[in-house]
Every structure is written in C-alpha cells, then in structure tokens.
Amino acid sequence: MKKNISIVIPTFNEKDNIIQLFDEIKNCLDNTNISWEAIFVDDSNNDETTNVIRSLQNNESNVILIKRIENRGLSSALIQGALSSSSEYVLFMDADLQHPPKKILNLYNEIKNNNYDVVSASRFLEDNKLLKQKRYRASSFVNYLLRRLFKINYSDILTGFFIINRNFFFNNYKKLSNIGFKLLLDIILSNKNKIKYNEISFEFQKRYTGESKLNSKVFIDFIILIIDKI
C-alpha cells in the first residue's frame, strides 16, 4: 500500500546518530494516522553506519537501506533516495539531528492541506542563537546574494530540510543538475516559474554527533551548480 511519507536521510559516517534519529521520527509519527518509511542512503567510507542501519531493519519493517560505493555526493544521494520511494510525499532531512524530527508533521500538514509542490523549513524566519555563529551568518548572506541574483523571494533556499510532492519530483527530476549538496536550490531554480512553494520556520539544533561535511569540494560543486543554473 502506498505510504504517506518517504523520509530520505543521507548518511556519511553517522553511526552514532541513526538510532536516536529514528526513535525521534518514530515518536513523532507513530501516534498519527500517517504511514511512513525511512530511506537511508549511505555513502560512508566504512561499514559501521551500514551495520547500524541493517540492525535497525531487523526490528523495523519501514527501514530501507541504499548503500553506495560510487557516485557519492549529497544531491545525488537525495535524488536516488527519492527515486526509490513509493509515497505521496518525499521528505529530506539530515542525519545529525540539526533538523528536528518534531517538525516533520508541520511540513507534512502544510504541503498536504495547501496543495503545494514543495514546503521547506527555514532557519531564518525566527531568531535562533545558533545562527549568530560565523558559518550561519555566511549562509544568510549567501541566501541574500542568491535571492538577488535569481530574483526569488524565499528566506532560506539553502536548507536541507524540506518536503516535496512525489509526482512533482518525478515530473521534474531530469532537469536537476545532480551536482553538489543543495538540492532545494536546484529544484527551485529548475522550476522557478511554475513551482507552488512555501516555507515554515524551525529552530536549528546543535549537531548531535559527527562533524560538518563542508569542504573545498563541496564549495566547488556549489559554484558549479550556480554557474550551471545561470
């Protein structure tokens, strides 16, 4: 039977986050009438994260694992996870718990009740102390530059926490660049004139465990994506 939500979670050496994240998602959704599945797309360079997800599969029927050893990268992981889904909506979130699972219901209700194509969770619609850190001030500034460059009026087109109508995704995924780590930006710029889109606010959390995946390659891929869309 078709589920309501497929939650696509890219992982890269996230073994210490998986159980905590899944438990929080389960606590959020299991007392509702929403049917769901969690699709983990693992690009880890060892089997530790994979083994945790496989052990989770032994106890949970709604856990799917996609293990990749080639063509790694965040956007491609998200796209592959979405293409493997079979639900009415596909939700994307990180595995480090900076995206709070309790907001999944808000995203789902907003897109379903208002017939949007995409609803994202913005870091910049409310005051958040974490965003005063240098990295997030820079992200806010890049958002501003992108809004001016592409003439779009959303507060956080770089967020990785969003939900999309699966039919809309399947009708448009071939337009995507499959480059870099900002899939939402790619989706918006590829469908700017016909997308029904809204934002909700969320409070960005501290990283549970692990380290940021930002590096020089990620930055270069981001520049390539921007050039491609220009």
Side-chain angles (χ1 to χ4, degrees), residues 126-189:
E126 62 183 31
D127 185 35
N128 188 331
K129 293 180 179 179
L130 282 180
L131 301 181
K132 296 178 181 178
Q133 298 176 14
K134 182 179 179 180
R135 171 186 166 187
Y136 304 111
R137 290 200 306 270
S139 183
S140 178
F141 180 66
V142 173
N143 264 289
Y144 167 77
L145 292 179
L146 292 172
R147 289 197 299 272
R148 296 294 299 271
L149 177 62
F150 292 107
K151 296 180 174 58
I152 48 181
N153 191 31
Y154 307 120
S155 69
D156 191 3
I157 52 178
L158 300 180
T159 182
F161 193 17
F162 65 100
I163 190 169
I164 189 168
N165 182 293
R166 182 176 175 271
N167 287 336
F168 178 83
F169 179 84
F170 268 70
N171 289 335
N172 293 283
Y173 78 91
K174 291 183 179 179
K175 300 176 185 177
L176 303 177
S177 300
N178 203 30
I179 299 170
F181 71 115
K182 293 302 180 184
L183 181 61
L184 178 63
L185 174 64
D186 199 351
I187 291 170
I188 290 173
L189 297 184

Side-chain angles (χ1 to χ4, degrees), residues 176-209:
L176 303 177
S177 300
N178 203 30
I179 299 170
F181 71 115
K182 293 302 180 184
L183 181 61
L184 178 63
L185 174 64
D186 199 351
I187 291 170
I188 290 173
L189 297 184
S190 299
N191 301 277
K192 182 168 68 167
N193 296 322
K194 62 175 185 177
I195 190 170
K196 293 183 289 185
Y197 179 74
N198 196 31
E199 297 177 296
I200 66 168
S201 65
F202 85 106
E203 186 173 348
F204 205 53
Q205 306 296 302
K206 291 183 178 179
R207 186 182 304 278
Y208 184 63
T209 64

Side-chain angles (χ1 to χ4, degrees), residues 12-18 95-98 135 206-214:
F12 184 80
N13 301 339
E14 308 274 6
K15 66 181 179 65
D16 295 325
N17 300 336
I18 302 301
D96 56 16
L97 289 167
Q98 289 186 298
R135 171 186 166 187
K206 291 183 178 179
R207 186 182 304 278
Y208 184 63
T209 64
E211 299 178 356
S212 172
K213 311 303 184 296
L214 292 176

